[in-house]
Amino acid sequence: MKYAIVHEGKVIGLPQVGHSFDCNGKRSARFLQNATEQECLDIGLYHLVEGTKPNLRFYWEADPTYTIDESTKTVTQSYTLNSRIFNDRSEVDQDNNPMWVKVLGEVDGEPAMVDSSKRLVTKGLKTIWTANFKKTVRDMLKPTDSKVMDETITEEESTKRATIIAEGERLDTAITACTGLDGLINIVNSQNWPREII
């Protein structure tokens, strides 16, 4: 059972087993291990209903929020889902002017960071996951690349290579056609690479 420390209508802490804490007085590191549920409630600990943390592959870290139910002495934890950008974004400054990749240059004869001719672009999830899948394909094929070159590859290895390439192409096509985050999450969860290393 997890608990929250509530004071004046706010959650002020989440005590951890094996750590001392303060809740209407100092509590030893063994309190939560040894106390009954009623003893925890008696000192003012509330039951904590934990929320599901956002998957950081698709969402930014978000601080939890808490809803306190005084009648049941329960605290419900929840997270706001702040999704990462989906498509690549060309960055602009506060005045909506294009931003450029900075490079080392010279200003008034002194070394300084100056704008290059390349736009500053933040990569979106589609680009990131496409690159991840391409890397997976490369990494999985690498052990047999030399066998292809010197024509010593076995039929089984050729079949597995073809399966890896086909899966990479399937994922790439699916991401290209994908128009939303839920679809992308489904694609990522649908990966079906050969289990055995070639």
Side-chain angles (χ1 to χ4, degrees):
M1 180 72 62
K2 300 259 184 165
Y3 294 95
I5 303 169
V6 177
H7 180 68
E8 295 181 356
K10 292 184 180 177
V11 173
I12 61 169
L14 303 176
Q16 302 295 315
V17 172
H19 296 272
S20 59
F21 62 95
D22 193 342
C23 181
N24 292 317
K26 296 278 186 196
R27 307 296 166 183
S28 76
R30 294 180 180 242
F31 180 85
L32 290 177
Q33 291 169 299
N34 299 327
T36 65
E37 184 178 343
Q38 190 58 51
E39 287 171 328
C40 289
L41 293 172
D42 288 347
I43 67 164
L45 291 175
Y46 286 42
H47 287 290
L48 176 66
V49 179
E50 290 185 285
T52 303
K53 285 190 173 187
N55 186 326
L56 297 183
R57 298 182 304 169
F58 306 105
Y59 299 95
W60 296 110
E61 181 78 61
D63 291 331
T65 56
Y66 299 98
T67 304
I68 301 167
D69 185 336
E70 292 289 346
S71 65
T72 61
K73 301 293 186 201
T74 303
V75 172
T76 302
Q77 181 186 63
S78 59
Y79 291 87
T80 302
L81 295 179
N82 298 316
S83 60
R84 295 176 181 266
I85 64 169
F86 185 68
N87 293 303
D88 291 357
R89 180 178 64 209
S90 295
E91 298 296 345
V92 294
D93 64 17
Q94 65 271 15
D95 298 320
N96 211 32
N97 296 315
M99 294 177 69
W100 306 92
V101 173
K102 298 285 187 185
V103 295
L104 184 59
E106 196 173 290
V107 174
D108 298 329
E110 297 291 322
M113 297 305 290
V114 297
D115 288 342
S116 70
S117 59
K118 184 178 178 183
R119 280 296 303 270
L120 180 62
V121 176
T122 299
K123 292 182 178 175
L125 288 171
K126 280 182 77 166
T127 298
I128 291 167
W129 279 102
T130 297
N132 285 348
F133 292 146
K134 288 183 185 303
K135 181 181 183 311
T136 299
V137 169
R138 283 192 309 272
D139 290 347
M140 293 181 82
L141 294 178
K142 191 174 184 178
T144 55
D145 282 346
S146 62
K147 291 182 175 186
V148 171
M149 297 298 288
D150 62 21
E151 299 180 358
T152 59
I153 192 161
T154 66
E155 188 176 328
E156 181 184 5
E157 289 168 332
S158 289
T159 301
K160 282 189 183 164
R161 282 179 66 90
T163 303
I164 291 164
I165 292 167
E167 178 62 3
E169 289 172 351
R170 180 190 74 81
L171 293 167
D172 190 51
T173 300
I175 286 182
T176 299
C178 183
T179 59
L181 183 58
D182 288 341
L184 179 63
I185 292 170
N186 288 336
I187 292 165
V188 170
N189 290 336
S190 78
Q191 295 176 70
N192 189 22
W193 304 104
R195 293 181 185 272
E196 297 155 14
I197 298 170
I198 56 174

